[in-house]
Amino acid sequence: MNPIDILVTNGTVLAMDQDHTVVENGAVAISGDRIAGIGPASSFSSHNVAEVIDARGGIIMPGLVNTHNHAAMTCFRGLADDLELMSWLQDYIFPAEARLTEKKVYHGALLACAEMILSGTTCFADMYLFEDAVARAAKEAGMRAVVGEVLYDFPSPNYGPIENGFSYTTELIDKWQGDELITAAVEPHSPYLCSPDLLVEAAAVSEASDVPLIIHVAETRSETETIRSTYGKTPVAHLGDLGVLSPRLVACHCVDLTEDDILLLRQKNVKVSHNPESNMKLAAGIAPVPRLLEAGVCVGLGTDGCTSNNNVDMFAEMDMAAKIHKVNCLDPTVMDARSVLRMATIEGARVLGLDGQTGSLETGKKADLILIDTNKPHLTPMYHIESHLVYAAGAGDVAATIINGRLVMKDRHLLTLDAEAVMAEVNEIAKDILGG
Amino acid sequence: MNPIDILVTNGTVLAMDQDHTVVENGAVAISGDRIAGIGPASSFSSHNVAEVIDARGGIIMPGLVNTHNHAAMTCFRGLADDLELMSWLQDYIFPAEARLTEKKVYHGALLACAEMILSGTTCFADMYLFEDAVARAAKEAGMRAVVGEVLYDFPSPNYGPIENGFSYTTELIDKWQGDELITAAVEPHSPYLCSPDLLVEAAAVSEASDVPLIIHVAETRSETETIRSTYGKTPVAHLGDLGVLSPRLVACHCVDLTEDDILLLRQKNVKVSHNPESNMKLAAGIAPVPRLLEAGVCVGLGTDGCTSNNNVDMFAEMDMAAKIHKVNCLDPTVMDARSVLRMATIEGARVLGLDGQTGSLETGKKADLILIDTNKPHLTPMYHIESHLVYAAGAGDVAATIINGRLVMKDRHLLTLDAEAVMAEVNEIAKDILGG
């Protein structure tokens, strides 16, 4: 084994690997950016270890993977809630977004990174405008991220006409190629805001560069009706006929699906990002996730942007995912804690094509992990770790966050970002939004 | 004004009163156990004030009211999840409860009080066995509580046959009469576990002592089917025909209601406790709360016991209540943040007959209030206070809790309970449960 840089010890290791490995009184050794070993705490010596992190009997687990975010929307958190979708978009979100700048997106994304790190997320996928700023923010925060500029038929406040959108996207891919934290993706908005030509070209760019293709699909019944009336088929079938469905495709939301859609997603090995809090708050509907899982579709969890949530907290998302499907199916056995926890970790990594790097604790993988402090009234007693993490734990229970072998948060203090400065910048942006 | 004992200042006061009063840069003055004044911070002098609490720009609001709990079930938190209801009850919960003792209930209730105080709840209603132990625990924690021994047709692990259940109940009412924190109530379990005679006698005791009558009603479709097949009517109609419906009745769950049931609840001014997380996790169903509110029924929020939740966190309950009805009604405007916040505060107090004492910040009411620390990434920026509290804030954001004029938590440290000792006791109980 290489020399150990960080030894995280004295906790229960929940590996989230294929074998559901749990090591009581365990430890994880980190060398450089990778996991060098996992085992009983007694099997590691802290001699010559640069940093020993005491889990104090808590849980050592993989960092959470947020498969769908619009990070910079933190700038609009709580600006407009409890409204009809069209009023929300047209009276609040679109006018605010029309006045976006790269600087606002950068600071908004930094704030989201601060929140994500504090709530145990180590990797996120993002879709927005000025996405290079999101990549720079994630890099500065020390977070793993998949970033992509949103592409649609109408002119963008960032790049203008769609041709420029594609050149922006290829430049983003080239710029971040080989980066240890950032992956650039191709991100057409949705079947209803993207022409068939746009969708086909986006798929071609994604294939040529072998990067993820991320899109919103079948988010609402109204979207399905629009696509049906225009193309005579469901959104998923429409994408299928255009040749856009592939294992690289991340289909976000997937609320309004037919059984044929589900089988097609499975056949093409399309990945799905499930966003229950957003779907509930916007009254979009309930995605048929138990059926998707039964059909063998790979499903991860995502928060969506925090205007429709209103946080980017994956613990709240797990709790919601576990509960909404039980009541929807009138069956308390669906979406058990382990399945939900897998969606928030290893399955989420698989959705983003990063399961070789992150999402579970395994020797040789990147060291993306978090500690949960379980010595709290609401986490006492402890019968089942997985159940506790899904149903009882919260964002505030994350005691430390390590990404790519780097300690980025300890004892609720951010080590890569100045939280006060980040909040102050976004508070200034909010004043501008209210005055605008 | 009387001399000020505690001045909570330098925050935004959200009074939750009839006029939706909000005081920016405000303060709340406390004399003894009561609110002595509310106004701009500049209108109060801290001269001669025994304790000044700086809200540091956060939110000063009423403590949350949890209208339905089985506090001592903290002992079984996470013991058995994701199971069929009958397996959950018969294989896990009933065997564990058969071995309950007053001591276990006392320590379990103390743990629940610790968790509730840390998550901003200042008042709760409880139904369980050995309920005098719950009253003693709440008193020791400094919490306001409505307590009642559960009554049903079969012998109880506490009191034995039902006659003793009624004498235990009347003794409980006599013992706690006039207490500044504790109210005893009469608590028959449900129409399916209580004979008509039991229900009628319970209602008579509640009326004679003028205390709340608390019951589970219409929690599942299966309950409705049972009552229909036995009595030929819905659970609510059955209670109505027995003369049990009254303004003192707190009907918990109310998931499976007909329109006639709703009108009857309104006509009799019955109060409803809505428990969305429990109803979702146990796959009971979704209560028609928007319709209940529209009909003019008073509805409060409750967590239910933490085996079906798995915490007693009212912030999580508010978020769930706001979102589940939006998606169920496919309407993002239902259950807006203000309505949900009222259910968690003043309407909850009204449910328990305590709205003259607690649930809003008004001069002369008992001083039950909490501080929210908003200087955090996930609460930045701040456009709308009510929206933030329901959709973005969490239990960990509560910076201080005051109940009956007494500071019981500050900066996340409990001042009335030794958290480590309370957790240690319940961890011992858990060992016994696993070994049993």
Side-chain angles (χ1 to χ4, degrees), chain B residues 5-24:
Chain B
D5 296 308
I6 300 179
L7 182 67
V8 186
T9 188
N10 187 28
T12 300
V13 180
L14 181 68
M16 298 305 301
D17 58 1
Q18 203 70 27
D19 302 329
H20 309 298
T21 303
V22 174
V23 186
E24 310 239 9

Side-chain angles (χ1 to χ4, degrees), chain A residues 336-351:
Chain A
D336 60 273
R338 174 174 289 173
S339 301
V340 172
L341 208 48
R342 288 183 59 84
M343 287 170 58
T345 55
I346 185 63
E347 295 302 315
R350 202 183 315 281
V351 164

